[in-house]
Amino acid sequence: MAIGKRIQFLRSVRGMTQRELGVAIGLEEKGADNRIAQYETGYRIPKRDLKDKMAEALDVVPNALSVPDIDSYVGLMHTLFTLEDCYGLRVCRCSGKVHIGVDSSQSEDAAALSRALATWWEKFSEMTAGRITKEEYDHWRYHYQGDCKEAGNHEERETN
């Protein structure tokens, strides 16, 4: 999820208007809502100091606003939290072990993710059962594009 979508999501969770968030981070009231709208739509990207102020106003850590970094376990945890918000990712404990699942009823995107994970599990199972090689499995993973219709929609969202 891009930073603009995170800002919008967390602002909504907090019950704040765009103007309220803008004023809370020090923008003049007159144009505060317009400026926040620009961040939320991705027209503008907030600089680090402004992102830090937004995080404080929204009562989150700055990493919660960013497209998280998976190079550390903290960054990865924020990635998982974002996936919880967007795709119905859920953490559970089964037979004494912690697992991650998807609540596919949360949204169409959650249902699509659930189907994609099931496909991943099937390919992984084929490899572990010896029906495909590790190289074939890796080829599938590194060329995975999901449902072509969904992949096309994603590209369109990213470029606009």
Side-chain angles (χ1 to χ4, degrees):
M1 176 185 282
I3 189 170
K5 296 284 184 196
R6 274 314 271 170
I7 294 167
Q8 182 179 33
F9 175 81
L10 292 166
R11 180 183 56 74
S12 296
V13 167
R14 296 289 182 247
M16 296 176 83
T17 65
Q18 290 175 329
R19 177 168 281 136
E20 289 169 337
L21 177 58
V23 169
I25 64 171
L27 301 176
E28 290 187 17
E29 187 173 349
K30 183 178 180 185
D33 54 346
N34 194 25
R35 182 89 169 269
I36 297 300
Q38 290 175 340
Y39 292 130
E40 290 182 356
T41 60
Y43 184 77
R44 299 179 88 161
I45 305 295
K47 292 184 177 160
R48 182 170 188 87
D49 62 329
L50 198 56
K51 185 178 86 169
D52 291 347
K53 289 178 184 179
M54 282 186 199
E56 185 176 330
L58 294 167
D59 193 27
V60 298
V61 296
N63 272 350
L65 288 177
S66 298
V67 176
D69 167 18
I70 61 169
D71 292 332
S72 70
Y73 83 91
V74 173
L76 180 56
M77 286 301 296
H78 283 281
T79 299
L80 295 172
F81 298 151
T82 300
L83 293 172
E84 177 182 24
D85 295 338
C86 299
Y87 294 99
L89 204 67
R90 299 292 182 256
V91 63
C92 58
R93 187 177 295 272
C94 305
S95 303
K97 294 182 180 179
V98 176
H99 297 269
I100 296 174
V102 178
D103 177 359
S104 60
S105 67
Q106 181 173 323
S107 67
E108 286 183 33
D109 285 338
L113 176 60
S114 184
R115 289 189 302 273
L117 290 172
T119 301
W120 182 14
W121 180 83
E122 289 168 10
K123 286 292 185 184
F124 182 79
S125 295
E126 288 178 19
M127 181 193 64
T128 57
R131 291 191 297 274
I132 63 172
T133 65
K134 171 80 164 98
E135 290 76 23
E136 289 169 317
Y137 173 71
D138 285 343
H139 182 270
W140 174 81
R141 288 189 316 143
Y142 299 136
H143 293 89
Y144 178 79
Q145 294 186 49
D147 179 293
C148 291
K149 180 181 170 191
E150 284 299 312
N153 288 342
H154 178 71
E155 287 175 22
E156 185 178 346
R157 283 192 299 259
E158 291 294 325
T159 58
N160 290 334

